[in-house]
Amino acid sequence: MIHCIQQIKSVFTMFPAPAPIVASTARRFALRSLPSLAVARQSLTQSSSFIAPIPSPSNPPITSSYSSIAMRLYSSTPTPQSPIPDGNSILSSYQQQSTSPLIGNNIPLAMETLARANAVCFDVDSTVITEEGIDVLAETLGKGPEVSAWTSKAMDGNIKFEDALAARLDIIRPSRKDIEKCLEMHPLRLSHGVDTLVKALQKRGTEVFLVSGGFRLMIEPVAEVLGVKRDHIYANTILFDDSGNYAGFDATEPTSADQGKPKALGMIKEKYGFDKMVMVGDGATDAQACPPADAFIGFGGVIVREAVKEKACWFVEDFETMIDIVNKYGGD
C-alpha cells in the first residue's frame, strides 16, 4: 500500500501537477484500495442512534494502520472556511432561511461565540443523550417513578441540586454491577445530530467537554463513542465498598452541588485559558453556567423546559443550525 502511494508520488515528481491534483489522486487511490476504510469513514459521518455497549474483548474497538495512512492523505487538503462575520450578520443569514422565528435573549452573541469558540461544553442527560441516565438506572432497579419526580424538580430549578442528587441515590443505592447491568440492558441513545456536531467541532480544533450532574460510570461509554477524552468529563463519581456495593458519592466533585456547573466551567477556563466558551444543555443547572460560559445555548430536542427557554441566549430544538455554523466558520 505504502509502496504504491510512493509510486504515485514519483510519477508526479517526473511530471509536475498542481498540489491539489496530487493530493486528490492519492486520496482517491487510497480509498479505492481500502473498501473497508470507506465503510469506516461513512460511519464517522452518519448519526448514531445508539451508544454501543462498553468495549470488551468480544467487542473490541476497530483499528487499522491503513486507515491512519489514508486519513492523513484525506486531510492533506482541508476544507476552506469563511471569515467570521459579527453575530448580527450570522443571525440575518439564518433568519432569511428559517420558516419559523429563532428564539433567544441574545442570538447574535450565541451564534458568534459558537463560530469563534475554542471550547464547547455539553450537558449529557436530555442533551447529548435522549434520556436522564439516573432515571434509566432507577427504572431498571424498579424505582423509576420515585426518582423521576426528584429529577424533574432538579432540572426545573425547584430544589438544590445536591439535595436532589442525595435523595435519588438514597432511593436506588446502585452497586457497580447494577450500573453495568443497566448499560447492557439499556444502551443509552444519542440525540440526533450530536455526534455530527461534536465531530465538526473537533475537526476545526474546538475542545469538547461533557459537564454533567450524572454519573461518570454511565458517561464514559458515551464519551468514548463521541471521541471525547476522559479528562474532558466533569461528572459525579459514585463510591463503592470493596464488594462493589453503594457507599455514597464524591461530594468534592464540582458537579455534585448547586452552582456546580459554573464552578466546573470556571475550572476548565482557568486550566486551559479558553476565551470563547459555549455551554449547551437542557436544564436550569446548565443556564447557571453562563457566566463563566460566554454564551448559553438551551437545547429542547428532548424536553422543552420553559425556565431554560427564557434564560437561553439561543434556544434550539435540534443541532442542525449549530452544525452549519461550525462547518462554515473556522473559530478563532
Side-chain angles (χ1 to χ4, degrees), residues 104-116:
N105 294 322
N106 197 337
I107 302 173
L109 171 67
M111 287 184 164
E112 184 174 350
T113 304
L114 179 63
R116 297 182 182 277

Side-chain angles (χ1 to χ4, degrees), residues 244-286:
N245 297 315
Y246 174 72
F249 64 94
D250 185 353
T252 67
E253 293 278 13
T255 54
S256 68
D258 200 41
Q259 297 294 326
K261 288 186 179 179
K263 185 177 179 180
L265 266 65
M267 292 166 61
I268 293 169
K269 258 194 169 181
E270 183 177 352
K271 179 176 180 179
Y272 295 96
F274 298 132
D275 61 354
K276 290 287 187 297
M277 177 185 282
V278 176
M279 179 71 203
V280 183
D282 72 294
T285 58
D286 305 311

